[in-house]
Amino acid sequence: MAVRRIAFAWESFGPSHLDRIEAAAAAGWSVTAIEFSPASSEYLWEQGELAGARKVTLTRADERVGTIRLAWRLFRAVRRSGSDVAFLSHYNELRVFLAAVLLRLVGCRVITLMVSKFDDYPRLLWREVGKALMLAPYDGVLVASRRTADYMRFLGFRRRPIANSLDSLDLARLRRLGTAEEAVAHADRDFLIVARLVEKKNLHFALRAYAEWTRNAVHPRRLRIIGYGHLEPELRALAGELGIADRVVFMGVAESAQVCQAMRDALCLILPSTEEQFGFVVIEALAQGLPVLVSANAGAVDELIDNGVNGWIVDPYRPQALIAAMALLDRDETVWTKASEAANTTAERGDVRHFVSGVAALLGR
């Protein structure tokens, strides 16, 4: 029996993409991984070697390529791979839309990869109609969460197949990176944020909640922030105004191993985003046995969080729930221990094997 040939296309590859591509290859498909450029325009992802799949990069780092030309290159890369199914991200970009149309014309099935939810931000009718048109070439969709699936039905995927678990990671890799020689005592653990320092991550809110928590804190815990972004000077200034500058540690950019180690040593992860399509960092935290205090807006809560068990779901506009959860984990070591154990147990929900299952469902295996 011939090996099924499939292709995946993203703007560029970070660790999460490599996890999924390699898992698909390990499942027995012949995989071609296509990236538009060797570096992301938005993320400072670590560069890694891709195992088990053929990698194609459509442009050089310093090369400027127009929409039509890149669409043609994407089309040709899929055709040359011999793939009969192409999984394409960035449906909303004209270059991807044109490539999808061309692939459909030559008999290749195209599947879109989707993380957006209806509640990400206010929706306008004319934009939603435009999105439905941009999605017309696709035979199916691989989504990140239940809310994404609902949104895709709204956009016209009522009869076209929908499969879940787009956003997942290799738990074995994460746990190898997070190994620790000895556990940190509950009293010595700090709060942790891992996020880009941009508006939608709602970090001003987090700093104010942390400042409020410090008034009645039992343990002198710090707030450690791993990430980069244009808001860093503003956030540092706010920490000073709130009188917590000596307790907030801006750790800057960190590699995956450093992030995993920080998670192993933390009390909990805080992710209070006002807009968060999914939140890979939640999977990373759970894999290290780290409870999460996560915004209800994050798609990850649909799939990963049992409220009050492995994490707490909080309102990103009202700080009381976040402060109460911080206080509970600070004061009660028994509650924290149970939440940590539950995080470790339920992390499997975010494992990359579920991505493989979703791909298989759309292929009709």
Side-chain angles (χ1 to χ4, degrees), residues 186-189 191 213 216-222 247 329-332:
H186 172 262
D188 297 330
R189 292 174 176 267
F191 295 108
W213 167 82
N216 299 300
V218 172
H219 301 95
R221 304 186 193 278
R222 295 183 177 184
R247 296 188 178 198
L329 294 176
D330 169 46
R331 295 165 182 263
D332 197 323

Side-chain angles (χ1 to χ4, degrees), residues 57-68:
T57 303
L58 300 181
T59 65
R60 300 186 304 274
D62 59 347
E63 185 180 11
R64 292 181 175 273
V65 178
T67 297
I68 303 298

Side-chain angles (χ1 to χ4, degrees), residues 11-12 37-45 90 93 95 196:
E11 180 205 13
S12 62
S37 61
S40 171
S41 60
E42 189 173 0
Y43 299 94
L44 298 178
W45 281 322
H90 314 294
E93 297 183 8
R95 56 191 181 177
R196 288 181 299 131

Side-chain angles (χ1 to χ4, degrees), residues 12-92:
S12 62
F13 297 148
S16 68
H17 304 95
L18 299 185
D19 279 358
R20 289 172 284 177
I21 293 165
E22 291 175 357
W29 298 302
S30 176
V31 177
T32 298
I34 304 167
E35 61 178 358
F36 303 162
S37 61
S40 171
S41 60
E42 189 173 0
Y43 299 94
L44 298 178
W45 281 322
E46 296 172 49
Q47 299 298 309
E49 295 297 322
L50 179 62
R54 175 172 171 262
K55 179 180 175 181
V56 177
T57 303
L58 300 181
T59 65
R60 300 186 304 274
D62 59 347
E63 185 180 11
R64 292 181 175 273
V65 178
T67 297
I68 303 298
R69 194 174 179 187
L70 194 135
W72 181 249
R73 288 186 183 183
L74 176 55
F75 168 74
R76 286 197 308 168
V78 174
R79 293 290 288 164
R80 288 174 176 174
S81 73
S83 302
D84 65 335
V85 181
F87 294 80
L88 308 180
S89 191
H90 314 294
Y91 80 95
N92 57 317

Side-chain angles (χ1 to χ4, degrees), residues 10-312:
W10 277 283
E11 180 205 13
S12 62
F13 297 148
S16 68
H17 304 95
L18 299 185
D19 279 358
R20 289 172 284 177
I21 293 165
E22 291 175 357
W29 298 302
S30 176
V31 177
T32 298
I34 304 167
E35 61 178 358
F36 303 162
S37 61
S40 171
S41 60
E42 189 173 0
Y43 299 94
L44 298 178
W45 281 322
E46 296 172 49
Q47 299 298 309
E49 295 297 322
L50 179 62
R54 175 172 171 262
K55 179 180 175 181
V56 177
T57 303
L58 300 181
T59 65
R60 300 186 304 274
D62 59 347
E63 185 180 11
R64 292 181 175 273
V65 178
T67 297
I68 303 298
R69 194 174 179 187
L70 194 135
W72 181 249
R73 288 186 183 183
L74 176 55
F75 168 74
R76 286 197 308 168
V78 174
R79 293 290 288 164
R80 288 174 176 174
S81 73
S83 302
D84 65 335
V85 181
F87 294 80
L88 308 180
S89 191
H90 314 294
Y91 80 95
N92 57 317
E93 297 183 8
L94 181 57
R95 56 191 181 177
V96 177
F97 173 78
L98 294 174
V101 171
L102 290 173
L103 289 167
R104 282 296 302 272
L105 289 174
V106 298
C108 180
R109 290 180 63 207
V110 285
I111 307 293
T112 187
L113 307 176
M114 179 68 70
V115 296
S116 296
K117 313 182 306 301
F118 191 90
D119 59 5
D120 287 333
Y121 44 79
R123 301 292 179 178
L124 300 174
L125 179 60
W126 66 268
R127 290 189 65 183
E128 301 310 298
V129 171
K131 289 178 184 179
L133 292 174
M134 295 290 279
L135 289 164
Y138 295 95
D139 297 281
V141 56
L142 185 59
V143 301
S145 68
R146 290 193 296 273
R147 275 179 286 173
T148 303
D150 291 341
Y151 185 37
M152 294 307 291
R153 293 185 187 97
F154 169 79
L155 290 174
F157 282 75
R158 294 189 176 275
R159 296 188 177 181
R160 288 175 283 178
I162 299 173
N164 207 341
S165 299
L166 167 61
D167 282 358
S168 53
L169 297 171
D170 184 348
L171 293 191
R173 174 182 66 85
L174 295 174
R175 285 169 171 160
R176 286 195 301 270
L177 293 175
T179 54
E181 293 184 1
E182 59 182 81
V184 175
H186 172 262
D188 297 330
R189 292 174 176 267
D190 294 329
F191 295 108
L192 179 66
I193 291 174
V194 180
R196 288 181 299 131
L197 310 186
V198 296
E199 285 79 2
K200 71 178 186 177
K201 299 299 182 179
N202 206 19
L203 300 181
H204 296 77
F205 172 91
L207 287 180
R208 292 189 175 96
Y210 173 74
E212 180 66 25
W213 167 82
T214 60
R215 296 180 184 179
N216 299 300
V218 172
H219 301 95
R221 304 186 193 278
R222 295 183 177 184
L223 171 62
R224 299 184 181 276
I225 302 176
I226 296 177
Y228 56 89
H230 68 276
L231 288 182
E232 182 172 343
E234 191 175 315
L235 293 169
R236 287 181 178 273
L238 178 60
E241 293 171 14
L242 295 170
I244 54 173
D246 60 330
R247 296 188 178 198
V248 179
V249 182
F250 290 87
M251 302 176 67
V253 179
E255 295 184 351
S256 295
Q258 294 171 299
V259 172
C260 289
Q261 290 292 340
M263 288 179 170
R264 290 287 295 184
D265 296 342
L267 182 75
C268 64
L269 177 80
I270 299 174
L271 183 67
S273 307
T274 54
E275 178 189 337
E276 191 73 54
Q277 283 73 27
F278 188 79
F280 275 116
V281 70
V282 175
I283 303 176
E284 294 173 328
L286 297 179
Q288 307 304 332
L290 183 64
V292 296
L293 311 184
V294 57
S295 167
N297 290 359
V301 304
D302 296 357
E303 312 304 320
L304 304 175
I305 302 304
D306 296 327
N307 196 24
V309 180
N310 61 356
W312 280 258

